[in-house]
Every structure is written in C-alpha cells, then in structure tokens.
Amino acid sequence: MSYLKLAIKGTSWSLAQVLVERLTQTVVFLIAAALLGPHEFGVAALSTAPAVIIASTLQSGSQVVIQRRLLDDDFVNSVFGLFLLLGLCGSALLLIASALLRHLETFSGLSGMVAVTSIAPLVSALAVVPEGLLARDFAYKVLAVRKSAGLLVGGIVCCALAFSGFGAWSIVAVVVITPIVAAMVSVVAARWKPTAMPTLISMRSTLNFSFAVIGMSAVTQINVRSADVVVGLVATPTATGVFRLSRTVLDLASSLFLNPINNILLPIFSRMGEDRDRMISTMWRSCAVTGLVAAIPFVASAFSAPYVAFMFFGDRWPQLPETITLMLVALPFIAVVVPVQTFLVATGHPSLAFLNNVYQALADVAMIAVGAYFGIFWAAAMFSLRFSLTALFILLAVQKRFSEINAFDGIKTTFPALVAIAIVSTLTGFLWLWQLDLKHLSVAVSFSVTASLAYALICAFVFHDRIRPVLEIWKARRVRAPTAA
C-alpha cells in the first residue's frame, strides 16, 4: 500500500478515534465540572496528575517497537520485561507518595485518590508491546477502538459517581478504568504473549535504545500535566479547576485538528528510511496544513465561549471563557512543534527533541508559576506564550542541525495564527465600542460567524496553496471509492 493510501486510511481511523475519544472525554468532564464545581474539579486534577504523567510516559514505549527496523522475539520480550518493571516502579512511587501525603495536613485529602490511581501505570505498561505491534501493522481500526472503549466505560462510571455525590472520586475512576479497558482490547487484538523471560543484559540494552524516547515522553507529560500542579500550588485548587477544564477544551481542539495527521507521521517517517528530502517535505506540508486549521478553534471560541460557559455553568466558573480562548492561541504553535519533534525521532535525533522538551518543562514551570501568581488569566497567557517561544527555539535548533532545513519555512506555517489574532482583535474592538454582551445568544452567534467567515475567506485567498493539495487528496479518494467497490 502506498504512503498516500496509508496516510488517508490512518487519518480516517485516527479521526474516528479522536471524535469518539475526545468528545466523550469532553462531555464527561463538562458533566463532572457542572456537578463538582471548580474546587472539587481542581482537587481531582491535582490528585490524578502524577498517575497520568507516569502512565502516559509508559504508553510511549510502543514507539520503541514501531521504530525498530527488524523485530525478533528477544527484543520484544525485553521491551515487555523492561516496561513491566518500569510500571511496577511507577505504581510503587505513587503508593509511597500517597503515604507521605497522609502526613501533610494541606494535602491529606489527596492521599486515598493517589493510592487508587497507582493501578494506571502498571496496566499501561502491560499494553506497551501489544499496542506497538498493532501500530507497526497499521491496525488503525483496533487502535481507534481500544481507548474509545475505555473512555466510554470510564465516562459512564464517572457520570454515575458524580451524580451520586462522590465528587473528585468520579474523575479518579476515569483515570483508572480507561487504561484497563484499553489494555484489554490491545492484548486480545494483538494475540501476543511473551515467549521467554528476558535477561537483565537484554533489558539494559533495550533501555539504552529506548531511553531518549522514554525521557522525551516523560518530559512532554511533565510539560502537559505539571501546569495543573503548579497552578494549584501557587494559586488555589479552584484556579486549578479552571485551568484544567480549559486544558480539556484545548486537548479536544488539538485532537480534532492536529492529532489525526500527527499520529501517522512516525510510522510513515520510519518507512521512508534514509529519504531525508522526502521526510522534510512531508514534515513541512504537515505543518502547513495543521497550522492553517489550528487557528480555527481560537477564532470560533473567542466570541462563543462566554455564552457557552454561561449556559453550562452560570457564574460558578470565573474567567473560564477568557482562559479557554487564551490557551487556544497556542494551537498553531503546537502544530509546528509536534511534527518537527516526530521528524527528529524518526531521523535518529531523539536527544535533540528531548532537550527541547527539557527546555519546555523548565519554561513551563517558571512562566506559568509567575502567571499564576497574578491570576488564572495571566497563567493562561504565559501558557500560550511558552508554546510560541518553544516553536521558535526548536525551528532554530533543527536549522542548525540540518543544513537542508530553513527555520523560516516553519515560521511561515504559523502565519494563519497572525491572521486569526488580527480578526479577533478587530472584532473585539467593535464589541467594546458598541458595549455588547457576549452572554446574549444573538451577539455571540453574529460575532462568531463573522470571525469564522473572515478567517475562511482570507485564508482561501492568501493560503490557497496549502488548501489545494488537501482537496486533491480527498477528491482522489472519492474517485477511487466506487472503483474499489
């Protein structure tokens, strides 16, 4: 099968997974947020963040299986043994943290929740090899079903617990149940089991091979989840709740507009081998397309978020609309960072991607802490500013490492974000001048539609060269479909 067909098939199934997964997660979190309120939601975010960081880091071990050119039983057994050991260590760390929290008066209420979430790392470790084998075989259908099924089951349990008054424990249930169901689906579908006990020498060799991938993923997850903890420590659990719910909306937008393309880049890059020019061309095309669509959520939410938040939550969630809109500014810059990091891993330079993630982690903690000190609004602003600086940093770094890469090619892919910011700023000026209230449906709809149409028309005229290839691919797919039938 050609790379084009693989890309279309993978994107289609990835999009299907994203639609079910993120929409389910968003609906569940919105229901839980409405029932719990920002304080309880913030407590749940603080208590589950460590388990999510560890479990998500371990899940990235499937990339080790994907990247390996030739697989043999010894290597696969070693990967399984290594990540099982790491999963046990992660669970043990959470249990130790739970015991320590019990003796701290401020955080004693988190102790039991942290202990229960210790199940997640071990379960995630068990699914590393099966998920890697499925991804290597382009089993997009199974990969799409596995986590979606976990979120559906976990979401039902979460809503039932939230309605029954269990508070933050309802969110803990999702964190535990989702990886259990996903792992069960992957293990059954892959039909793989270890054939021998790996030796310490082979596991050490596997660790050396996968250290950069694991390290990069760990720092990435710290970047993603540490912000919740930082806001909670510097501000309050209520501020953490607002920040986390805003991040849920950002995750939904990222999954819908970016992940369907980004998720298939590593397997395709790995199959391209030493064809560096082709990989670079694919990377820039990916950044160009995702950069174009990544600004859409920001434009759409700028004038609709106040009305939607008011309808869902009333006045219980202060500054939520502004926080959501500010965070969505980061999407066009994320659209550059992720493909470039995938390119670095695929070309055998994961250490550079790892260093970039370390820079992000340090900048994330420092900038969000400063912002949170002045309020949740400034924490969200610092969050987006950090991503823009990260995009610039990694583009300059890859330009220095690869002579055939021009950083300005990557910077150009973020130009649609400038168009979006200009449109939103202009319409906000009119909103202020006319003293209109976005909590009224007619105002929210008219301004949201105007902003979206303006962005679409300007992009169709200025960035038509990015839109044309996408239309040609989908047109070709529609032409082939009747023939294949």
Side-chain angles (χ1 to χ4, degrees):
M1 185 179 291
S2 67
Y3 292 126
L4 176 60
K5 291 182 178 179
L6 285 173
I8 294 174
K9 180 181 178 182
T11 302
S12 300
W13 277 111
S14 182
L15 180 59
Q17 173 193 346
V18 164
L19 287 172
V20 175
E21 178 183 329
R22 289 305 181 188
L23 287 176
T24 300
Q25 185 181 64
T26 302
V27 170
V28 169
F29 276 11
L30 287 176
I31 293 173
L35 294 171
L36 271 59
H39 180 79
E40 284 291 317
F41 199 85
V43 170
L46 287 170
S47 62
T48 58
V52 172
I53 290 173
I54 298 173
S56 299
T57 299
L58 293 172
Q59 287 172 359
S60 69
S62 60
Q63 295 184 19
V64 177
V65 179
I66 297 171
Q67 292 179 53
R68 187 78 169 188
R69 294 283 181 84
L70 297 175
L71 288 181
D72 55 64
D73 288 343
D74 289 341
F75 178 77
V76 177
N77 288 331
S78 297
V79 172
F80 178 78
L82 173 64
F83 280 90
L84 180 59
L85 180 60
L86 293 175
L88 289 169
C89 292
S91 296
L93 285 175
L94 290 174
L95 291 174
I96 293 172
S98 172
L100 294 176
L101 288 172
R102 194 177 298 118
H103 299 288
L104 299 176
E105 183 177 351
T106 305
F107 301 103
S108 59
L110 305 181
S111 176
M113 299 180 192
V114 172
V116 173
T117 61
S118 65
I119 300 171
L122 180 58
V123 173
S124 298
L126 292 172
V128 166
V129 170
E131 290 183 6
L133 295 174
L134 290 170
R136 189 180 178 87
D137 292 336
F138 296 100
Y140 296 117
K141 185 176 181 179
V142 177
L143 292 172
V145 168
R146 82 195 195 287
K147 195 168 183 181
S148 300
L151 279 171
L152 285 171
V153 176
I156 293 172
V157 175
C158 173
C159 292
L161 292 176
F163 275 112
S164 300
F166 282 88
W169 282 98
S170 58
I171 304 296
V172 173
V174 176
V175 173
V176 174
I177 293 174
T178 298
I180 292 176
V181 176
M184 291 173 62
V185 173
S186 298
V187 170
V188 172
R191 297 181 180 179
W192 177 89
K193 60 182 179 179
T195 58
M197 180 70 69
T199 64
L200 290 177
I201 295 177
S202 64
M203 290 171 59
R204 185 183 304 169
S205 175
T206 303
L207 179 62
N208 293 335
F209 175 78
S210 56
F211 179 77
V213 173
I214 299 173
M216 183 175 67
S217 178
V219 179
T220 299
Q221 291 303 318
I222 292 173
N223 287 339
V224 172
R225 304 297 173 185
S226 64
D228 300 340
V229 179
V230 170
V231 173
L233 294 177
V234 176
T236 62
T238 299
T240 301
V242 174
F243 194 88
R244 183 66 188 94
L245 188 58
S246 301
R247 281 286 309 280
T248 299
V249 177
L250 175 66
D251 290 344
L252 173 64
S254 178
S255 297
L256 290 174
F257 292 90
L258 304 183
N259 287 4
I261 295 176
N262 293 333
N263 285 349
I264 64 171
L265 284 179
L266 183 58
I268 289 178
F269 280 165
S270 298
R271 298 297 176 94
M272 288 181 177
E274 301 298 326
D275 194 346
R276 181 71 56 80
D277 291 338
R278 191 177 182 186
M279 294 173 68
I280 293 173
S281 175
T282 301
M283 177 181 68
W284 289 140
R285 285 202 301 269
S286 173
C287 290
V289 173
T290 54
L292 186 66
V293 300
I296 295 175
F298 165 68
V299 174
S301 75
F303 304 105
S304 62
Y307 176 78
V308 175
F310 179 73
M311 288 298 296
F312 264 98
F313 308 115
D315 296 321
R316 293 183 65 194
W317 288 75
Q319 295 185 302
L320 179 63
E322 296 85 356
T323 307
I324 290 174
T325 301
L326 279 172
M327 282 193 174
L328 289 174
V329 176
L331 269 183
F333 304 103
I334 297 174
V336 175
V337 172
V338 175
V340 173
Q341 287 188 317
T342 304
F343 167 80
L344 291 173
V345 173
T347 54
H349 296 83
S351 58
L352 183 56
F354 174 72
L355 290 175
N356 173 67
N357 278 350
V358 172
Y359 158 77
Q360 288 189 60
L362 296 175
D364 202 33
V365 172
M367 295 178 69
I368 291 179
V370 172
Y373 180 79
F374 293 99
I376 187 64
F377 180 89
W378 291 104
M382 286 294 188
F383 176 86
S384 292
L385 177 60
R386 192 267 294 176
F387 270 108
S388 65
L389 295 177
T390 296
L392 179 61
F393 173 83
I394 195 171
L395 288 172
L396 294 175
V398 296
Q399 177 181 260
K400 185 177 180 181
R401 181 65 61 92
F402 302 95
S403 59
E404 58 267 50
I405 288 182
N406 185 353
F408 188 67
D409 290 334
I411 295 174
K412 287 190 297 185
T413 64
T414 65
F415 284 175
L418 302 180
V419 173
I421 292 172
I423 292 172
V424 171
S425 299
T426 301
L427 290 178
T428 300
F430 284 111
L431 194 69
W432 176 81
L433 183 65
W434 295 333
Q435 295 294 300
L436 299 176
D437 189 355
L438 287 173
K439 291 182 180 179
H440 294 132
L441 178 61
S442 58
V443 177
V445 170
S446 59
F447 271 77
S448 297
V449 171
T450 301
S452 300
L453 287 176
Y455 180 75
L457 291 173
I458 294 174
C459 288
F461 178 75
V462 178
F463 305 112
H464 58 86
D465 56 323
R466 305 186 188 189
I467 301 173
R468 190 185 304 113
V470 177
L471 294 177
E472 290 175 352
I473 289 175
W474 288 106
K475 183 179 179 180
R477 186 188 179 199
R478 292 185 63 184
V479 169
R480 291 190 188 98
T483 305

